[in-house]
Amino acid sequence: MTHATITSTAADHGVTLYTLRNAHDMRVTISDRGATLISWWAPDRYGRVADILLGYPDCEGYQSNQPYFGGLIGRWGNRIANGRFTLDGADYLVDRNEGNNHLHGGDAGFHLAPWRASVEPEGLRLTLESAEGDAGYPGNLQVSVLYSLDDDGRLGIDYSASSDAPTPLNLTSHGYFNLNGGSADIYDHILAIAADQYLQVDTRLIPTEAATVAGSAFDFRQPAPIGPRLAWPDAQLKVAGGFDHCYCLRPQHPGLHAPGQSRSVQPLREVATVYDPGSGRQLSVSTTENGLQFYSGNFMAGVKGRGANAYAKHDGFCLEAQAYPNQINGPDAEAVILRPGQVYRQTTTYQLTVR
């Protein structure tokens, strides 16, 4: 496999930006603050290059980054109900930063932290130490993420982590995509997700039960445009203001566990595609995870990004590979607990091609 060349540039606020460039001049820029995906420059079917990631115009916006643009999320991606969980008989209270919910790692999640970067033959590695008590979590956690870009337009994100005490762990990447380069909303994007069920949510966006996608706005087993589905009279869409739901991805090896690992292990398999007819760009998502959060940018209105105008609702989408939201409080909690001697591993790739 041919690996991208990597260059670095010092930016404002003590941040360093790293750019991965493949043989076709596709470029992905990553910040060492939050291990954040900043930009992904790629051509459309006519060779016109645009940035398919949404974000801020400069480093200042990423200091708070309330929409989580491109951030590496931890220790817990998505929500924990009431900011509480019980682990080995002990009760823990973690940051409540969305009403009573814990969201995306709390007030000072991994997406805001300074990561240590090193350039390796395989790509850009970023590492982070999260001390016991950070956001209320137990255990001293060591986290590593490797970003790679190949000549086939595949951005790889390989995660690993270990802890000296049991702790919940659910890492994900929160990139906001718009395959037309931000020239319009995502209504014409055609989405497919390989899932027969999704998790319905209550008014706090906490999952309540798994439901079949059949006959609902959530059925993307066959490719369908996002825009018309947003207009369906579906109670779940009304609750979330659009799509903000976790899909239960089809397992290829149900219940398989590898020695020394903390979770069920799935092969890296393609789980979703998004196609923009206007530009011809297509994004394919593959992951080893069991869940995929589809978020249709419901709370983007008024956020000042890189364009001349503020972002509007549904100007971008996220496909976040992860464990199930609030799983630490469910019957399968053990699958998301990282214990001493175990290694958390996850691989997710986003491949950009042109049709």
Side-chain angles (χ1 to χ4, degrees):
M1 179 184 295
T2 303
H3 299 289
T5 59
I6 303 176
T7 57
S8 62
T9 304
D12 296 335
H13 304 285
V15 170
T16 301
L17 302 178
Y18 295 84
T19 298
L20 285 64
R21 186 189 306 260
N22 72 7
H24 307 294
D25 206 31
M26 180 180 285
R27 290 166 289 143
V28 176
T29 299
I30 297 162
S31 170
D32 61 0
R33 175 185 284 124
T36 300
L37 292 172
I38 301 293
S39 295
W40 188 345
W41 293 90
D44 64 7
R45 64 162 64 92
Y46 305 108
R48 297 174 301 200
V49 176
D51 189 355
I52 65 159
L53 284 171
L54 305 185
Y56 291 105
D58 52 42
C59 292
E60 185 175 357
Y62 291 96
Q63 292 189 90
S64 57
N65 197 4
Q66 293 181 358
Y68 305 92
F69 283 132
L72 197 291
I73 304 299
R75 293 187 189 189
W76 188 270
N78 215 296
R79 296 168 174 87
I80 296 177
N82 300 314
R84 293 182 179 275
F85 60 87
T86 300
L87 175 55
D88 295 342
D91 294 328
Y92 292 89
L93 178 64
V94 289
D95 287 350
R96 300 179 183 183
N97 58 319
E98 187 199 49
N100 284 331
N101 291 337
H102 177 81
L103 177 65
H104 292 335
D107 296 319
F110 291 179
H111 67 292
L112 299 177
W115 291 63
R116 292 191 301 273
S118 60
V119 176
E120 301 185 354
E122 296 81 8
L124 176 68
R125 185 174 300 281
L126 295 121
T127 58
L128 178 69
E129 296 180 5
S130 174
E132 181 172 6
D134 282 354
Y137 285 99
N140 295 293
L141 184 72
Q142 310 286 326
V143 185
S144 171
V145 59
L146 177 71
Y147 288 101
S148 60
L149 178 67
D150 67 20
D151 289 343
D152 293 325
R154 184 181 295 105
L155 175 66
I157 310 176
D158 289 280
Y159 309 75
S160 62
S162 60
S163 177
D164 63 2
T167 188
L169 192 62
N170 179 25
L171 303 178
T172 193
S173 177
H174 209 296
Y176 283 74
F177 296 94
N178 184 315
L179 300 185
N180 60 45
S183 61
D185 55 38
I186 61 169
Y187 282 55
D188 290 339
H189 286 42
I190 297 172
L191 172 65
I193 301 177
D196 303 310
Q197 292 185 310
Y198 76 103
L199 299 180
Q200 294 189 335
V201 296
D202 60 20
T203 57
R204 303 170 300 159
L205 302 183
I206 298 296
T208 56
E209 61 181 352
T212 179
V213 299
S216 77
F218 293 81
D219 191 352
F220 288 99
R221 291 175 296 180
Q222 297 298 320
I226 294 172
R229 293 296 180 87
L230 286 165
W232 280 32
D234 189 297
Q236 282 290 300
L237 293 178
K238 185 176 181 180
V239 165
F243 294 97
D244 194 0
H245 296 75
C246 189
Y247 280 77
C248 307
L249 299 171
R250 297 175 191 145
Q252 293 190 24
H253 298 302
L256 178 65
H257 282 74
Q261 293 204 341
S262 62
R263 308 167 302 136
S264 61
V265 178
Q266 297 297 325
L268 183 66
R269 75 281 193 209
E270 186 175 291
V271 298
T273 60
V274 189
Y275 172 61
D276 173 39
S279 68
R281 295 185 184 95
Q282 177 168 293
L283 186 72
S284 302
V285 184
S286 299
T287 189
T288 56
E289 291 297 275
N290 294 313
L292 185 72
Q293 187 83 8
F294 170 39
Y295 174 55
S296 56
N298 310 328
F299 303 106
M300 296 183 63
V303 177
K304 187 63 179 74
R306 283 194 280 265
N309 299 314
Y311 290 129
K313 188 176 183 179
H314 308 316
D315 269 358
F317 69 90
C318 304
L319 289 170
E320 307 156 61
Q322 57 185 241
Y324 298 150
N326 199 40
Q327 187 172 337
I328 186 60
N329 286 314
D332 198 24
E334 184 61 34
V336 293
I337 297 170
L338 177 63
R339 296 185 178 278
Q342 296 179 330
V343 178
Y344 172 102
R345 296 193 188 279
Q346 181 204 146
T347 297
T348 295
T349 68
Y350 298 90
Q351 183 175 17
L352 195 63
T353 55
V354 175
R355 288 167 50 184

